[in-house]
């Protein structure tokens, strides 16, 4: 075996230019795939974290059916047992109760349709990033329940300004029409024109009164300490919700709430598969070409080895060792370089400038390019390239297996 | 003692539409310790006969017996084992493995036999010493002359104490003095170690040393 390794190793360096070029193809592919995957994973994770922390939370507890048809009557009460368990769960950072309804907002003769979201300002300040989105004025107050926040676009559409009084009308939980005066205390900008044009936030107590909710809520946004703990936190909450089956409460992880975001992630994954396949084909053919050239020009040697009594599998194994060494060296070097670059961008995100910043913000993304050093990225790439190396070796191995001593010796 | 028996062997090569009969019902026996030369002009079938005896080629008809075993129906792996254990080869173009040093080339077949490294190294050095090529031990084929490479090839062929060594025109690529030296060496091995040598050659230097000469013409033995 030692001599077999020696033969393989020396054969690699016998035509070192070709071996180095093949190795470089592997290095390039591994590096490129890892960097692309790293950027994609890192940037997506950052955007998901950002979006979830911004408002929606990582998990939502809702009344069954609310996600697809968010009507006011799909509401539930938070009992003490549930609150206690939520507060004591080690993976849960915090939670924000919310009431959601639709109505009309009017100022003078101007009125607009609006989504009304009742929030607990203290909980939001503690858990979500949403309060940082106030561009002007103050955040919904826990002291003055008459203060509301409106989207930047809605303020413009209403021809209103900070401090103006508005009237909000909405059908309440009990079927009556609720109406109440509010003061625009602050203006927010999420970056999403639709959201900024038709959403208002008010104190949950004011919403409770306006909509006659009687301490019921429509959703509870749960924030966890780490996105990696999503599964375990969801499982814990689901088992908690099971005991509330009679009330029809469901636990939805973020991807069941923000389906558009999930779809975008999935589409990017499909895109990733496409470019990875192209790279794999390039590397695969590169390795195949090298191995084929390398074995063809050594047919005579293999013929002699066969004549001396070498079994075919030993020759196949010897060339296989060469392929594996080239592949492993390429994978190691490519992974090292990619790790260094990914680590740098994971710690120092690349900030987009100029028009890109606006574009990204309008699309609701962070104008920053992150990377990731997740082990999964590097191991999956290494396994993929290694598998390709083995796969492309099948044909050369077949040719070696069919070679006879005499054909080899006579090969010119 | 007859160690190899060739019985009515015929070999036909089909080159396109034309069938060429390289061997036509050839029969012969080879005894232990012979220094046998198969001679003949180019195209007479001597290399084909040597290849068939060496199990590198298959006859169209006829049988080959090695130590009274019919090897005509051996599988690919059985023939590999047979060549490894019983046969030694010396080629016209030396055919050493280029990435291995002289001593590693000699060790190669011992490695295939699973002989431990220390044992095979000792044996390889002994044989190199016997052949006077011990100073070449760490040289690679491209650092050796043709004569030196062929001496290493002889060492490789005899290191496993084969039943028979088959040499296909071993002196064809060597100058006359080097060829004579090489033949001296093989003759010495034949006499001292009773190794059977079978040559295919049309070189008079080789033919003159034969203990037995077989003349081939048009695929048939015309003189035995």
């Amino acid at each position: 075996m030692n001599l077999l390794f020696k033969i393989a190793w020396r054969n690699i360096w016998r035509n070192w230019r070709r071996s180095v070029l093949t190795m470089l193809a592997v290095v390039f592919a591994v590096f490129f795939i890892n960097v692309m995957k790293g950027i994609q994973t890192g940037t997506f994770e950052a955007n998901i974290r950002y979006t979830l922390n911004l408002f929606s939370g990582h998990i939502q507890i809702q009344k069954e059916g609310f996600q697809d048809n968010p009507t006011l009557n799909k509401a539930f009460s938070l009992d003490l047992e549930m609150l206690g368990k939520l507060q004591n769960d080690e993976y849960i950072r915090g939670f924000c109760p919310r009431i959601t309804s639709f109505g009309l907002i009017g100022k003078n003769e101007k009125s607009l349709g609006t989504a009304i979201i009742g929030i607990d300002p203290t909980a939001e300040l503690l858990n979500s990033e949403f309060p940082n989105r106030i561009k002007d004025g103050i955040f919904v107050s826990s002291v003055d329940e008459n203060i509301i926040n409106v989207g930047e676009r809605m303020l413009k559409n209403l021809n209103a300004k900070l401090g103006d009084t508005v009237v909000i009308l909405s059908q309440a939980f009990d079927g009556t029409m609720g109406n109440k005066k509010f003061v625009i205390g602050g203006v927010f900008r999420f970056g999403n024109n639709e959201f900024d044009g038709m959403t208002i936030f008010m104190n949950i107590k004011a919403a409770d009164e306006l909509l006659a909710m009687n301490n019921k809520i429509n959703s509870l946004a749960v924030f966890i300490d780490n996105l990696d703990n999503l599964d375990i936190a969801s499982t814990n909450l689901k088992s908690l919700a099971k005991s509330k089956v009679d009330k029809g409460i469901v636990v939805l992880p973020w991807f069941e709430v923000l389906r558009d975001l999930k779809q975008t992630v999935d589409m990017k994954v499909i895109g990733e598969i496409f470019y990875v396949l192209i790279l794999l084909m390039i590397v695969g053919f590169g390795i195949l070409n090298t191995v084929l050239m390398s074995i063809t020009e050594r047919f005579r040697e293999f013929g002699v080895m066969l004549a001396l009594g070498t079994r075919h599998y030993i020759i196949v194994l010897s060339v296989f060792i060469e392929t594996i060494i080239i592949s492993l060296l390429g994978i190691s070097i490519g992974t090292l370089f990619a790790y260094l670059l990914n680590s740098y961008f994971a710690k120092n995100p690349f900030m987009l400038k100029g028009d890109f910043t606006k574009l990204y913000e309008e699309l609701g993304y962070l104008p920053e390019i992150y990377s990731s050093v997740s082990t999964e990225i590097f191991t999956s790439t290494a396994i993929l390239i290694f598998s390709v190396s083995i796969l492309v070796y099948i044909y050369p191995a077949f040719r070696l297996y069919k070679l006879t001593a005499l054909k080899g010796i006579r090969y010119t | 003692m007859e160690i190899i028996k060739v019985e009515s062997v015929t070999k036909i090569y089909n080159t396109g539409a034309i069938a060429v009969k390289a061997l036509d019902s050839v029969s012969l026996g080879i005894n232990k310790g012979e220094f046998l030369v198969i001679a003949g002009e180019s195209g007479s079938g001597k290399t084909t006969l040597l290849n068939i005896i060496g199990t590198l080629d298959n006859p169209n008809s006829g049988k080959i017996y090695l130590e009274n075993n019919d090897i005509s129906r051996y599988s690919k792996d059985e023939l590999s084992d047979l060549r490894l254990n019983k046969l030694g080869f010396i080629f016209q173009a030396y055919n050493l493995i280029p990435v291995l040093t002289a001593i590693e080339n000699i060790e190669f077949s011992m490695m295939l036999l699973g002989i431990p490294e220390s044992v095979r190294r000792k044996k390889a050095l002994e044989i190199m010493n016997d052949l006077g090529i011990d100073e070449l031990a760490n040289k690679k084929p491209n650092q050796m002359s043709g004569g030196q490479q062929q001496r290493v090839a002889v060492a490789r062929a005899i290191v496993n104490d084969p039943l028979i060594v088959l040499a296909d025109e071993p002196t064809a690529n060597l100058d006359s003095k080097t060829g004579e030296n090489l033949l001296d060496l093989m003759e010495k091995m034949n006499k001292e170690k009773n190794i059977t040598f079978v040559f295919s050659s049309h070189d008079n230097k080789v033919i003159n040393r034969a203990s037995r000469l077989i003349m081939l013409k048009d695929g048939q033995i015309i003189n035995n």
Side-chain angles (χ1 to χ4, degrees):
Chain A
M1 202 62 182
N2 193 16
L3 196 57
L4 213 59
F5 264 104
K6 220 180 256 182
I7 292 173
W9 180 254
R10 288 180 192 169
N11 271 317
I12 289 173
W13 302 112
R14 185 174 173 186
N15 192 334
W16 68 270
R17 277 191 190 89
R18 188 169 58 205
S19 299
V20 166
L21 276 174
T22 313
M23 215 179 291
L24 282 177
V26 177
V27 169
F28 169 75
V30 170
F31 177 78
F32 196 72
I33 291 173
N34 279 331
V35 169
M36 290 304 287
K37 272 186 169 180
I39 287 174
Q40 206 157 64
T41 308
T43 305
F44 265 105
E45 277 179 3
N47 273 288
I48 289 167
R49 271 196 300 271
Y50 164 77
T51 308
L52 303 185
N53 283 321
L54 183 63
F55 189 66
S56 76
H58 302 89
I59 301 164
Q60 283 204 9
I61 299 175
Q62 300 177 352
K63 186 81 174 175
E64 198 170 3
F66 180 79
Q67 177 63 29
D68 294 321
N69 185 17
T71 54
L72 193 63
N73 62 345
K74 284 170 185 143
F76 62 97
S77 299
L78 271 179
D79 59 33
L80 285 173
E81 183 206 348
M82 197 175 207
L83 280 171
K85 284 192 175 168
L86 283 167
Q87 273 160 351
N88 293 328
D89 193 308
E90 59 178 314
Y91 301 108
I92 294 172
R93 174 158 53 86
F95 47 88
C96 298
R98 286 164 190 166
I99 293 171
T100 308
S101 184
F102 297 92
L104 280 174
I105 180 168
K107 188 201 160 238
N108 301 330
E109 280 104 48
K110 194 113 181 173
S111 64
L112 296 170
T114 182
I116 302 160
I117 303 176
I119 55 170
D120 175 350
T122 314
E124 298 290 346
L125 279 164
L126 278 172
N127 299 303
S128 72
E129 294 288 328
F130 158 56
N132 299 330
R133 285 296 168 133
I134 299 295
K135 293 292 165 195
D136 211 357
I138 56 163
F139 184 54
V140 171
S141 167
S142 52
V143 182
D144 186 351
E145 291 170 13
N146 290 324
I147 287 177
I148 61 165
N149 292 152
V150 301
E152 198 175 40
R153 189 167 278 256
M154 175 176 275
L155 190 76
K156 197 177 160 193
N157 292 345
L158 277 174
N159 289 326
K161 57 184 187 303
L162 284 179
D164 283 354
T165 300
V166 289
V167 175
I168 294 172
L169 279 110
S170 178
Q171 189 176 26
F173 189 80
D174 56 8
T176 59
M177 279 305 280
N179 65 84
K180 201 170 184 287
K181 275 186 190 173
F182 290 93
V183 176
I184 300 174
V187 181
F188 63 83
R189 187 170 75 200
F190 270 54
N192 180 317
N193 284 340
E194 196 183 355
F195 193 81
D196 291 348
M198 63 167 298
T199 311
I200 64 159
F201 290 99
M202 65 173 64
N203 189 304
I204 197 162
K205 287 176 189 164
D208 188 276
E209 191 186 331
L210 173 73
L211 304 167
M213 292 298 283
N214 198 21
N215 287 327
K216 287 190 171 69
I217 58 167
N218 297 117
S219 64
L220 185 76
V222 179
F223 294 81
I224 58 174
D225 58 345
N226 188 336
L227 197 54
D228 294 337
N229 296 327
L230 182 72
D231 287 344
I232 190 157
S234 297
T235 310
N236 287 353
L237 286 177
K238 276 177 185 168
S239 65
L240 174 62
K242 255 189 187 171
S243 62
K244 310 284 171 198
V245 141
D246 54 322
K247 290 176 186 168
I249 293 172
V250 290
V251 175
L252 303 175
W254 69 266
F255 47 83
E256 289 184 42
V257 178
L258 302 173
R259 289 172 187 161
D260 289 351
L261 184 62
K262 176 71 170 67
Q263 258 181 0
T264 313
V265 173
D266 290 345
M267 285 304 290
K268 292 280 181 186
V269 170
I270 291 168
E272 178 191 298
I273 291 170
F274 183 71
Y275 76 69
V276 166
L277 274 178
I278 291 174
L279 273 172
L280 287 181
M281 276 174 69
I282 295 170
V283 176
F285 279 112
I287 296 173
L288 178 66
N289 180 48
T290 307
V291 177
L292 270 181
M293 278 174 68
S294 157
I295 64 160
T296 309
E297 72 184 22
R298 283 189 280 155
F299 267 0
R300 194 183 173 88
E301 281 167 53
F302 296 138
V304 172
M305 285 164 82
L306 289 169
L308 295 179
T310 312
R311 292 239 186 141
H312 278 83
Y313 82 88
I314 291 178
I315 293 173
V316 171
L317 187 66
S318 159
V319 182
F320 183 65
I321 293 169
E322 290 173 36
T323 314
I324 293 304
I325 291 174
I326 289 179
S327 172
L328 286 180
L329 278 174
I331 289 170
S332 308
I333 297 168
T335 304
L336 177 71
F337 283 124
Y339 180 82
L340 293 175
L341 194 75
N342 286 10
S343 304
Y344 178 79
F345 280 115
K347 286 172 192 155
N348 310 286
F350 178 75
M351 311 298 280
L352 293 173
K353 287 173 187 159
D355 291 342
F356 281 113
T357 311
K358 275 187 188 168
L359 180 72
Y360 268 64
E361 278 179 346
E362 279 189 13
L363 290 169
Y365 294 126
L366 281 171
E368 295 161 10
I369 303 293
Y370 281 86
S371 190
S372 168
V373 284
S374 156
T375 318
E376 189 271 334
I377 294 172
F378 300 105
T379 47
S380 65
T381 306
I383 290 169
L384 209 62
I385 298 282
F386 190 68
S387 308
V388 168
S389 312
I390 293 173
L391 205 67
V392 297
Y393 184 61
I394 292 173
Y395 178 63
F398 175 75
R399 287 198 64 183
L400 283 176
Y401 195 76
K402 297 303 275 181
L403 186 73
T404 63
L406 207 56
K407 260 189 202 166
I409 292 168
R410 285 178 178 165
Y411 190 84
T412 47
Chain B
M1 186 182 73
E2 197 172 68
I3 50 173
I4 285 182
K5 191 173 156 193
V6 178
E7 200 176 83
S8 304
V9 161
T10 298
K11 178 72 187 178
I12 300 166
Y13 289 112
N14 290 305
T15 51
I18 308 160
V20 179
K21 209 176 231 183
L23 292 176
D24 186 4
S25 227
V26 170
S27 298
L28 82 126
I30 299 167
N31 297 315
K32 176 81 182 150
E34 279 193 303
F35 203 74
L36 186 148
V37 178
I38 302 167
E41 291 172 1
S42 290
S44 58
K46 54 188 186 299
T47 298
T48 303
L49 181 58
L50 205 72
N51 286 338
I52 287 174
I53 293 169
T55 76
L56 300 178
D57 207 352
N58 301 314
N60 292 93
S61 64
K63 284 181 177 174
I64 312 287
Y65 294 91
L66 197 134
E67 292 182 314
N68 295 322
N69 294 314
D70 180 4
I71 59 169
S72 315
R73 296 193 183 279
Y74 271 27
S75 70
K76 204 161 80 169
D77 285 343
E78 283 172 332
L79 289 176
S80 287
D81 289 347
L82 180 88
R83 288 197 294 270
L84 181 62
N85 289 293
K86 305 274 183 185
L87 306 176
F89 289 90
I90 299 165
F91 303 98
Q92 182 180 335
Y94 332 130
N95 286 340
L96 298 178
I97 298 168
V99 291
L100 297 182
T101 60
I103 195 160
E104 287 165 347
N105 263 287
I106 297 164
E107 279 181 56
F108 183 76
S109 49
M110 287 192 277
M111 177 208 71
L112 296 176
L113 286 167
I115 297 169
E117 191 173 355
S118 55
V119 178
R120 63 183 195 232
R121 177 71 30 139
K122 195 176 161 213
K123 201 170 177 190
L125 277 170
E126 272 172 19
I127 205 105
M128 289 186 96
N129 219 13
D130 284 352
L131 300 181
I133 51 170
D134 43 342
E135 79 279 6
L136 302 175
N138 295 315
K139 287 193 173 173
K140 286 198 178 154
N142 62 359
Q143 297 168 313
M144 293 186 268
S145 69
Q148 288 173 326
Q149 285 187 61
Q150 201 61 305
R151 279 164 179 257
V152 175
V154 171
R156 180 177 68 180
I158 62 173
V159 73
N160 280 342
D161 303 318
L163 191 66
I164 185 165
V165 173
L166 303 161
D168 184 17
E169 313 230 18
T171 55
N173 285 2
L174 303 175
D175 61 63
S176 109
K177 194 182 167 200
T178 313
E180 290 284 5
N181 286 342
L182 188 83
L183 287 167
D184 287 345
L185 193 76
M186 289 194 273
E187 213 167 37
K188 188 179 155 203
M189 290 296 121
N190 170 252
K191 280 174 184 157
E192 285 178 4
K193 299 194 172 187
N194 199 29
I195 297 171
T196 311
F197 280 86
V198 177
F199 296 86
S200 87
S201 182
H202 54 241
D203 182 353
N204 282 332
K205 292 194 298 290
V206 182
I207 293 167
N208 291 340
R209 291 178 188 241
S211 65
R212 182 174 157 210
L213 180 68
I214 290 172
M215 288 295 292
L216 277 179
K217 191 180 179 185
D218 299 330
Q220 290 183 319
I221 295 175
I222 53 165
N223 192 353
N224 186 351

